[in-house]
Amino acid sequence: MVYNAFVATERLGRFRFTSKIWHALWRKSCSLIHEGVATKIHGRTAEVNYGFPYPFIARQFSSFNNPLVEIVHQTFRVKKRKVTLIDVGSSVGDTVLLIEANCSGMVEQYYCIEGDREFYSYLTANLAFRRGIEFFPVMLSSHDAPVPALVRTHSGTASAIGDEKIRATTLDKILFDKQRIIDIVKIDVDGFDGEVLKGSKNILRRHKPAVIFEWHPLLCQRAENNWKDHFTVLAQCGYTRFLFFTKFGEFNHIMIGYDKESVEALADFSLASKQYEDWHYDIVALHPENDVDANSIADCAYAKAKRSPY
């Protein structure tokens, strides 16, 4: 009741005269309540950890996740068949719930990968209604080796910055031998996206899927990973078109080829900006052999008219 009351009144957290009170009460509730709660995500009842921010963000920013919705729609339209989607960093299943609500009948198979144990338990429970999902409770990296354990950076996500080490594997190792064509790869793993891509080269070269990943220089820095690795790997695998979207899902610009100086300048801005807190981008990468139109992805016309923003 408490969590859903905050979701229902999230607008109060944006108004000048009620913001401080709303946020103070929200922070207090997060410090006191540490159990799972049931809420609605894209029309379905889902269990999440108290403090999970997605329902709030999706209500505040109608453009949030528009690029992903548009990729699914455009890929389905171009290929004229249901598509296969890899979801790395599946969290509680909100990505699948988003796609199922807004791209009904467009996805044949999901591969959901989540290394956080609590999130994984919610993920499997929340998506039990849907056939055609394979779950993997693993950490992904560039190679088979120990990596830092996941640590919660806030209630909605975890980053591999822990002191302990846990075993990781690669996306190539768990999915390369699958018979299905891989159409879309979505990665959101808080500063480890470049490492995941480095462990996906065989899939990228063989299937040439559309790739959408979070590019977050600050989290890369905290995880001691290079924020240029994402582009280096994709360029090595033949990707030439990079569409930058703001962290709110609004189109920003297109980069043709890997322009190292531009990427470095954007990283400097993201790290140094005081005006735009926690600045980062969601980036769509397209291979020249992928017939999906980059301008259609940038426009996000289908996604802007999506039926279920939250």
Side-chain angles (χ1 to χ4, degrees), residues 176-243:
F176 182 67
D177 290 333
K178 296 289 184 183
Q179 296 302 309
R180 291 182 179 275
I181 296 173
I182 305 300
D183 299 297
I184 301 165
V185 177
K186 168 255 172 184
I187 308 172
D188 185 355
V189 286
D190 281 17
F192 240 69
D193 303 64
E195 291 296 296
V196 173
L197 285 167
K198 286 195 288 185
S200 311
K201 291 180 181 178
N202 292 329
I203 287 175
L204 296 175
R205 286 172 175 150
R206 177 179 176 182
H207 297 283
K208 304 172 180 62
V211 179
I212 179 168
F213 60 93
E214 181 185 68
W215 187 62
H216 201 313
L218 177 59
L219 293 183
C220 289
Q221 187 179 72
R222 289 176 179 172
E224 299 182 350
N225 292 320
N226 192 324
W227 54 71
K228 292 182 272 192
D229 285 347
H230 315 59
F231 302 98
T232 301
V233 172
L234 288 163
Q236 289 171 351
C237 294
Y239 285 74
T240 58
R241 293 172 291 169
F242 301 91
L243 288 76

Coordinates of all heavy atoms in Angstrom, one line a residue, residues 176-243:
F176 N 25.9 -18.7 -28.2 CA 26.4 -18.7 -29.6 C 25.9 -19.9 -30.3 O 25.6 -19.9 -31.5 CB 27.9 -18.7 -29.6 CG 28.5 -18.7 -31.0 CD1 28.2 -17.6 -31.9 CD2 29.2 -19.7 -31.5 CE1 28.7 -17.6 -33.2 CE2 29.7 -19.7 -32.8 CZ 29.5 -18.6 -33.7
D177 N 25.8 -21.1 -29.6 CA 25.4 -22.3 -30.3 C 23.9 -22.5 -30.5 O 23.4 -23.5 -31.0 CB 25.9 -23.5 -29.5 CG 27.5 -23.6 -29.7 OD1 28.0 -23.1 -30.7 OD2 28.1 -24.1 -28.8
K178 N 23.1 -21.5 -30.0 CA 21.6 -21.6 -30.2 C 21.3 -21.5 -31.7 O 22.0 -20.9 -32.4 CB 20.9 -20.4 -29.5 CG 21.1 -20.4 -28.0 CD 20.3 -21.6 -27.3 CE 20.4 -21.5 -25.8 NZ 19.7 -22.6 -25.2
Q179 N 20.3 -22.3 -32.1 CA 19.9 -22.3 -33.5 C 19.2 -21.1 -34.0 O 19.2 -20.8 -35.2 CB 19.1 -23.6 -33.7 CG 19.8 -24.9 -33.4 CD 21.0 -25.0 -34.3 OE1 21.0 -24.9 -35.5 NE2 22.2 -25.4 -33.7
R180 N 18.6 -20.4 -33.1 CA 17.8 -19.2 -33.5 C 18.7 -18.0 -33.9 O 19.8 -17.9 -33.4 CB 17.0 -18.7 -32.3 CG 15.8 -19.6 -31.9 CD 15.0 -19.0 -30.8 NE 13.9 -19.8 -30.4 CZ 12.8 -19.8 -31.0 NH1 12.5 -19.0 -32.0 NH2 11.8 -20.6 -30.6
I181 N 18.2 -17.3 -34.9 CA 18.9 -16.0 -35.3 C 18.7 -15.0 -34.2 O 17.6 -14.8 -33.7 CB 18.3 -15.5 -36.6 CG1 18.6 -16.5 -37.7 CG2 18.9 -14.1 -37.0 CD1 17.9 -16.2 -39.1
I182 N 19.8 -14.3 -33.8 CA 19.7 -13.3 -32.8 C 19.4 -12.0 -33.5 O 20.3 -11.5 -34.3 CB 21.0 -13.2 -31.9 CG1 21.3 -14.6 -31.3 CG2 20.8 -12.1 -30.9 CD1 20.2 -15.1 -30.4
D183 N 18.3 -11.3 -33.2 CA 18.0 -10.1 -33.9 C 18.3 -8.8 -33.1 O 18.7 -7.8 -33.7 CB 16.5 -10.1 -34.2 CG 16.0 -11.2 -35.1 OD1 16.5 -11.3 -36.2 OD2 15.3 -12.1 -34.6
I184 N 18.2 -8.9 -31.8 CA 18.3 -7.7 -31.0 C 19.1 -8.1 -29.7 O 18.8 -9.1 -29.1 CB 17.0 -7.0 -30.6 CG1 16.2 -6.6 -31.8 CG2 17.2 -5.8 -29.7 CD1 14.7 -6.3 -31.6
V185 N 20.1 -7.3 -29.3 CA 20.7 -7.4 -28.0 C 20.6 -6.1 -27.2 O 21.0 -5.1 -27.7 CB 22.2 -7.7 -28.2 CG1 22.9 -7.9 -26.9 CG2 22.4 -9.0 -29.0
K186 N 20.0 -6.2 -26.1 CA 19.9 -5.1 -25.2 C 20.8 -5.3 -23.9 O 20.7 -6.4 -23.3 CB 18.4 -4.9 -24.8 CG 18.2 -3.9 -23.6 CD 17.9 -4.6 -22.3 CE 17.8 -3.8 -21.1 NZ 17.6 -4.5 -19.8
I187 N 21.6 -4.4 -23.6 CA 22.5 -4.5 -22.5 C 22.4 -3.3 -21.6 O 22.5 -2.2 -22.0 CB 24.0 -4.6 -22.9 CG1 24.1 -5.7 -24.0 CG2 24.9 -4.9 -21.8 CD1 25.5 -5.8 -24.6
D188 N 22.2 -3.6 -20.3 CA 22.1 -2.5 -19.3 C 22.7 -3.1 -18.0 O 22.0 -3.6 -17.2 CB 20.7 -2.0 -19.1 CG 20.6 -0.8 -18.1 OD1 21.6 -0.4 -17.6 OD2 19.5 -0.3 -18.0
V189 N 24.0 -2.9 -17.8 CA 24.7 -3.6 -16.7 C 25.6 -2.6 -15.9 O 26.7 -3.0 -15.4 CB 25.4 -4.8 -17.1 CG1 24.4 -6.0 -17.4 CG2 26.3 -4.6 -18.3
D190 N 25.3 -1.3 -15.9 CA 25.9 -0.4 -15.0 C 27.5 -0.4 -15.1 O 28.2 -0.7 -14.2 CB 25.5 -0.6 -13.6 CG 24.1 0.0 -13.3 OD1 23.4 0.3 -14.3 OD2 23.8 0.2 -12.1
G191 N 28.0 0.0 -16.3 CA 29.4 0.2 -16.4 C 30.1 -1.0 -16.9 O 31.4 -1.0 -17.1
F192 N 29.4 -2.2 -17.1 CA 30.0 -3.4 -17.5 C 29.6 -3.7 -19.0 O 29.9 -4.8 -19.5 CB 29.7 -4.6 -16.6 CG 30.9 -5.2 -16.0 CD1 31.6 -4.5 -15.0 CD2 31.2 -6.5 -16.3 CE1 32.7 -5.1 -14.5 CE2 32.4 -7.1 -15.8 CZ 33.1 -6.4 -14.8
D193 N 28.9 -2.8 -19.6 CA 28.3 -3.1 -20.9 C 29.5 -3.4 -22.0 O 29.3 -4.2 -22.8 CB 27.5 -1.9 -21.4 CG 26.4 -1.5 -20.5 OD1 26.7 -1.2 -19.3 OD2 25.2 -1.6 -20.9
G194 N 30.6 -2.6 -21.9 CA 31.7 -2.9 -22.8 C 32.3 -4.2 -22.6 O 32.7 -4.9 -23.6
E195 N 32.4 -4.7 -21.3 CA 32.9 -6.0 -21.1 C 32.0 -7.1 -21.6 O 32.4 -8.1 -22.2 CB 33.0 -6.2 -19.6 CG 34.1 -5.4 -18.9 CD 35.5 -5.8 -19.4 OE1 35.9 -6.9 -19.2 OE2 36.2 -4.9 -20.1
V196 N 30.7 -6.9 -21.5 CA 29.7 -7.9 -22.1 C 29.9 -7.9 -23.6 O 29.9 -9.0 -24.2 CB 28.3 -7.5 -21.7 CG1 27.3 -8.4 -22.4 CG2 28.1 -7.6 -20.2
L197 N 30.0 -6.8 -24.2 CA 30.2 -6.7 -25.7 C 31.5 -7.4 -26.1 O 31.5 -8.1 -27.2 CB 30.2 -5.3 -26.2 CG 28.8 -4.6 -26.2 CD1 29.0 -3.1 -26.4 CD2 27.9 -5.2 -27.3
K198 N 32.5 -7.3 -25.3 CA 33.8 -8.0 -25.7 C 33.6 -9.5 -25.6 O 34.4 -10.2 -26.3 CB 34.9 -7.5 -24.7 CG 35.4 -6.1 -25.0 CD 36.8 -5.8 -24.3 CE 36.6 -5.7 -22.9 NZ 37.9 -5.2 -22.2
G199 N 32.7 -10.0 -24.8 CA 32.4 -11.4 -24.7 C 31.3 -11.8 -25.7 O 30.8 -13.0 -25.5
S200 N 31.0 -11.0 -26.7 CA 29.9 -11.3 -27.6 C 30.3 -11.2 -29.0 O 29.4 -11.1 -29.9 CB 28.7 -10.3 -27.3 OG 28.4 -10.2 -26.0
K201 N 31.6 -11.1 -29.3 CA 32.1 -10.9 -30.7 C 31.6 -11.9 -31.7 O 31.2 -11.5 -32.8 CB 33.6 -10.9 -30.7 CG 34.2 -9.7 -30.0 CD 35.7 -9.7 -30.0 CE 36.3 -8.5 -29.3 NZ 37.8 -8.6 -29.3
N202 N 31.5 -13.2 -31.3 CA 31.0 -14.2 -32.2 C 29.6 -14.0 -32.6 O 29.2 -14.1 -33.8 CB 31.2 -15.6 -31.7 CG 32.7 -15.9 -31.5 OD1 33.5 -15.5 -32.3 ND2 33.1 -16.7 -30.6
I203 N 28.7 -13.6 -31.6 CA 27.3 -13.4 -31.9 C 27.2 -12.1 -32.8 O 26.4 -12.1 -33.7 CB 26.5 -13.2 -30.6 CG1 26.4 -14.6 -29.9 CG2 25.2 -12.5 -30.8 CD1 25.7 -14.5 -28.5
L204 N 28.0 -11.1 -32.5 CA 27.9 -9.9 -33.2 C 28.3 -10.1 -34.7 O 27.7 -9.6 -35.6 CB 28.8 -8.8 -32.6 CG 28.4 -8.3 -31.2 CD1 29.4 -7.4 -30.6 CD2 27.0 -7.7 -31.2
R205 N 29.3 -10.8 -34.9 CA 29.8 -11.1 -36.3 C 28.9 -12.0 -37.0 O 28.8 -11.9 -38.3 CB 31.3 -11.6 -36.2 CG 32.3 -10.6 -35.8 CD 33.6 -11.2 -35.6 NE 34.6 -10.1 -35.3 CZ 35.7 -10.3 -34.6 NH1 35.9 -11.4 -33.9 NH2 36.6 -9.2 -34.4
R206 N 28.4 -13.0 -36.4 CA 27.6 -14.0 -37.1 C 26.2 -13.5 -37.4 O 25.6 -13.6 -38.5 CB 27.5 -15.3 -36.2 CG 26.6 -16.4 -36.8 CD 26.6 -17.6 -35.9 NE 25.7 -18.6 -36.3 CZ 25.5 -19.8 -35.7 NH1 26.1 -20.0 -34.6 NH2 24.6 -20.6 -36.2
H207 N 25.5 -12.8 -36.4 CA 24.1 -12.5 -36.5 C 23.9 -11.0 -36.9 O 22.8 -10.7 -37.4 CB 23.3 -12.8 -35.2 CG 23.3 -14.2 -34.9 ND1 22.5 -15.1 -35.5 CD2 24.0 -15.0 -33.9 CE1 22.7 -16.3 -35.0 NE2 23.6 -16.3 -34.0
K208 N 24.9 -10.2 -36.5 CA 24.8 -8.7 -36.8 C 23.5 -8.1 -36.3 O 22.7 -7.4 -37.0 CB 24.9 -8.5 -38.3 CG 26.2 -9.0 -38.9 CD 26.2 -8.9 -40.4 CE 27.4 -9.5 -41.1 NZ 27.6 -10.9 -40.8
P209 N 23.2 -8.4 -35.0 CA 21.9 -7.9 -34.4 C 22.0 -6.4 -34.2 O 23.0 -5.8 -34.1 CB 21.8 -8.6 -33.1 CG 23.3 -8.8 -32.7 CD 24.0 -9.1 -34.0
A210 N 20.8 -5.8 -34.1 CA 20.7 -4.4 -33.6 C 21.1 -4.5 -32.1 O 20.7 -5.4 -31.4 CB 19.3 -3.8 -33.8
V211 N 21.9 -3.5 -31.7 CA 22.4 -3.5 -30.3 C 22.0 -2.2 -29.6 O 22.2 -1.1 -30.2 CB 23.9 -3.7 -30.2 CG1 24.4 -3.7 -28.8 CG2 24.4 -5.0 -30.9
I212 N 21.4 -2.3 -28.4 CA 21.2 -1.1 -27.7 C 21.8 -1.3 -26.3 O 21.6 -2.3 -25.6 CB 19.7 -0.8 -27.5 CG1 19.4 0.5 -26.7 CG2 18.9 -2.0 -27.0 CD1 18.0 1.0 -26.7
F213 N 22.7 -0.3 -25.9 CA 23.4 -0.5 -24.6 C 23.4 0.9 -23.9 O 23.3 1.9 -24.5 CB 24.8 -1.0 -24.9 CG 25.6 -0.1 -25.8 CD1 26.5 0.9 -25.2 CD2 25.6 -0.3 -27.1 CE1 27.3 1.7 -26.0 CE2 26.4 0.5 -28.0 CZ 27.2 1.5 -27.4
E214 N 23.6 0.8 -22.6 CA 23.8 2.0 -21.8 C 25.3 2.4 -21.9 O 26.2 1.6 -21.6 CB 23.4 1.7 -20.4 CG 23.5 3.0 -19.5 CD 23.2 2.7 -18.0 OE1 24.0 2.0 -17.4 OE2 22.2 3.2 -17.5
W215 N 25.5 3.6 -22.2 CA 26.9 4.1 -22.2 C 27.0 5.2 -21.1 O 26.6 6.3 -21.2 CB 27.3 4.7 -23.6 CG 28.7 5.1 -23.6 CD1 29.8 4.3 -23.6 CD2 29.2 6.4 -23.8 NE1 31.0 5.0 -23.7 CE2 30.6 6.3 -23.8 CE3 28.7 7.7 -24.0 CZ2 31.5 7.4 -24.0 CZ3 29.5 8.8 -24.2 CH2 30.9 8.7 -24.2
H216 N 27.6 4.8 -20.0 CA 27.6 5.5 -18.8 C 29.1 5.7 -18.3 O 29.6 4.9 -17.5 CB 26.8 4.8 -17.7 CG 26.3 5.7 -16.6 ND1 27.1 6.6 -15.9 CD2 25.1 5.8 -16.0 CE1 26.4 7.2 -15.0 NE2 25.2 6.7 -15.0
P217 N 29.8 6.7 -18.8 CA 31.2 6.9 -18.4 C 31.5 6.9 -16.9 O 32.5 6.3 -16.5 CB 31.6 8.2 -19.0 CG 30.7 8.3 -20.2 CD 29.4 7.7 -19.7
L218 N 30.6 7.5 -16.1 CA 30.9 7.5 -14.6 C 30.8 6.1 -14.1 O 31.7 5.7 -13.3 CB 29.8 8.4 -14.0 CG 29.9 8.4 -12.4 CD1 31.3 9.0 -12.0 CD2 28.8 9.3 -11.8
L219 N 29.9 5.3 -14.5 CA 29.8 3.9 -13.9 C 30.9 3.0 -14.5 O 31.4 2.1 -13.8 CB 28.4 3.3 -14.2 CG 27.2 3.9 -13.5 CD1 26.0 3.2 -13.8 CD2 27.5 3.9 -12.0
C220 N 31.3 3.3 -15.7 CA 32.5 2.6 -16.3 C 33.7 2.9 -15.4 O 34.5 2.0 -15.1 CB 32.8 3.0 -17.7 SG 31.6 2.4 -18.9
Q221 N 33.9 4.2 -15.1 CA 35.0 4.6 -14.2 C 35.0 3.9 -12.9 O 36.0 3.4 -12.4 CB 35.0 6.1 -14.1 CG 36.2 6.8 -13.4 CD 36.0 8.3 -13.3 OE1 35.2 8.8 -12.6 NE2 36.8 9.0 -14.1
R222 N 33.8 3.9 -12.3 CA 33.7 3.2 -10.9 C 34.0 1.7 -11.0 O 34.5 1.2 -10.1 CB 32.3 3.5 -10.4 CG 32.1 4.9 -9.9 CD 30.6 5.1 -9.5 NE 30.4 6.5 -9.0 CZ 29.2 7.0 -8.7 NH1 28.1 6.2 -8.8 NH2 29.1 8.2 -8.4
A223 N 33.6 1.1 -12.1 CA 33.8 -0.3 -12.3 C 35.2 -0.6 -12.9 O 35.5 -1.8 -13.1 CB 32.8 -0.9 -13.2
E224 N 36.0 0.5 -13.1 CA 37.4 0.4 -13.6 C 37.4 -0.3 -15.0 O 38.2 -1.1 -15.3 CB 38.3 -0.4 -12.6 CG 38.4 0.3 -11.3 CD 39.3 -0.4 -10.3 OE1 39.7 -1.6 -10.6 OE2 39.6 0.1 -9.3
N225 N 36.4 0.1 -15.8 CA 36.3 -0.3 -17.2 C 36.5 0.9 -18.1 O 36.2 2.0 -17.8 CB 35.0 -1.0 -17.5 CG 34.9 -2.4 -16.8 OD1 35.9 -3.1 -16.7 ND2 33.7 -2.7 -16.2
N226 N 36.9 0.6 -19.4 CA 37.2 1.7 -20.3 C 35.9 2.0 -21.1 O 35.3 1.1 -21.7 CB 38.3 1.2 -21.3 CG 38.8 2.3 -22.2 OD1 38.1 3.2 -22.6 ND2 40.1 2.3 -22.5
W227 N 35.5 3.2 -21.1 CA 34.2 3.6 -21.7 C 34.4 3.6 -23.2 O 33.4 3.8 -23.9 CB 33.7 5.0 -21.2 CG 34.7 6.1 -21.3 CD1 35.2 6.7 -22.5 CD2 35.4 6.7 -20.3 NE1 36.1 7.7 -22.2 CE2 36.3 7.7 -20.8 CE3 35.4 6.6 -18.9 CZ2 37.1 8.6 -20.1 CZ3 36.2 7.4 -18.1 CH2 37.0 8.4 -18.7
K228 N 35.6 3.4 -23.8 CA 35.7 3.3 -25.2 C 35.6 1.9 -25.7 O 35.4 1.7 -27.0 CB 37.1 3.9 -25.6 CG 37.3 5.4 -25.4 CD 38.6 5.9 -25.9 CE 39.6 5.8 -24.7 NZ 40.9 6.5 -25.0
D229 N 35.6 0.9 -24.8 CA 35.5 -0.5 -25.3 C 34.3 -0.8 -26.1 O 34.3 -1.6 -27.0 CB 35.6 -1.4 -24.1 CG 37.0 -1.5 -23.4 OD1 37.9 -1.0 -24.1 OD2 37.1 -2.0 -22.3
H230 N 33.1 -0.2 -25.7 CA 31.9 -0.5 -26.4 C 32.0 -0.2 -27.9 O 31.7 -1.1 -28.7 CB 30.8 0.5 -25.9 CG 30.7 0.6 -24.4 ND1 31.7 1.1 -23.6 CD2 29.7 0.4 -23.5 CE1 31.4 1.1 -22.3 NE2 30.1 0.7 -22.3
F231 N 32.6 0.9 -28.2 CA 32.7 1.3 -29.6 C 33.8 0.6 -30.3 O 33.7 0.2 -31.5 CB 33.0 2.8 -29.7 CG 31.9 3.7 -29.1 CD1 32.1 4.1 -27.8 CD2 30.7 3.9 -29.7 CE1 31.1 4.9 -27.1 CE2 29.7 4.7 -29.1 CZ 29.9 5.1 -27.8
T232 N 34.9 0.3 -29.6 CA 36.0 -0.5 -30.2 C 35.6 -1.8 -30.7 O 35.8 -2.3 -31.8 CB 37.2 -0.6 -29.2 OG1 37.6 0.7 -28.8 CG2 38.3 -1.4 -29.8
V233 N 34.8 -2.5 -29.8 CA 34.4 -3.9 -30.1 C 33.4 -3.9 -31.3 O 33.5 -4.6 -32.2 CB 33.7 -4.5 -28.9 CG1 33.0 -5.8 -29.3 CG2 34.7 -4.8 -27.8
L234 N 32.4 -3.0 -31.2 CA 31.4 -2.9 -32.3 C 32.0 -2.5 -33.6 O 31.6 -3.0 -34.6 CB 30.3 -1.9 -31.9 CG 29.4 -2.4 -30.7 CD1 28.6 -1.3 -30.1 CD2 28.4 -3.5 -31.3
A235 N 33.0 -1.6 -33.6 CA 33.7 -1.2 -34.8 C 34.4 -2.4 -35.4 O 34.4 -2.6 -36.6 CB 34.6 0.0 -34.6
Q236 N 35.1 -3.2 -34.5 CA 35.8 -4.4 -35.0 C 34.9 -5.4 -35.6 O 35.3 -6.1 -36.5 CB 36.5 -5.0 -33.8 CG 37.7 -4.2 -33.3 CD 38.3 -4.8 -32.0 OE1 37.7 -5.7 -31.3 NE2 39.4 -4.3 -31.6
C237 N 33.6 -5.4 -35.2 CA 32.6 -6.3 -35.7 C 31.8 -5.7 -36.9 O 30.9 -6.3 -37.3 CB 31.7 -6.8 -34.6 SG 32.5 -7.7 -33.3
G238 N 32.3 -4.6 -37.3 CA 31.7 -4.0 -38.6 C 30.6 -3.0 -38.4 O 30.0 -2.5 -39.4
Y239 N 30.2 -2.7 -37.1 CA 29.1 -1.7 -36.9 C 29.6 -0.3 -37.2 O 30.7 0.1 -36.9 CB 28.7 -1.8 -35.4 CG 27.9 -3.0 -35.2 CD1 28.5 -4.3 -35.1 CD2 26.5 -2.9 -35.0 CE1 27.7 -5.4 -34.8 CE2 25.7 -4.1 -34.7 CZ 26.3 -5.3 -34.6 OH 25.6 -6.4 -34.4
T240 N 28.7 0.4 -37.9 CA 29.1 1.8 -38.4 C 28.2 2.9 -38.1 O 28.5 4.1 -38.2 CB 29.2 1.7 -40.0 OG1 28.0 1.3 -40.5 CG2 30.3 0.8 -40.4
R241 N 27.0 2.6 -37.6 CA 26.0 3.6 -37.3 C 25.7 3.5 -35.8 O 25.2 2.5 -35.3 CB 24.7 3.4 -38.1 CG 24.9 3.6 -39.6 CD 23.6 3.2 -40.4 NE 23.4 1.8 -40.3 CZ 22.3 1.2 -40.8 NH1 21.3 1.9 -41.2 NH2 22.2 -0.2 -40.7
F242 N 25.8 4.7 -35.1 CA 25.6 4.7 -33.7 C 24.6 5.9 -33.4 O 24.9 7.1 -33.7 CB 26.9 5.0 -32.9 CG 28.0 3.9 -33.2 CD1 28.9 4.0 -34.2 CD2 28.0 2.8 -32.4 CE1 29.8 3.0 -34.4 CE2 28.9 1.8 -32.6 CZ 29.8 1.9 -33.6
L243 N 23.5 5.6 -32.9 CA 22.4 6.6 -32.6 C 22.4 6.8 -31.1 O 22.2 5.9 -30.3 CB 21.1 6.1 -33.0 CG 20.8 6.0 -34.5 CD1 21.5 4.8 -35.2 CD2 19.3 5.9 -34.8

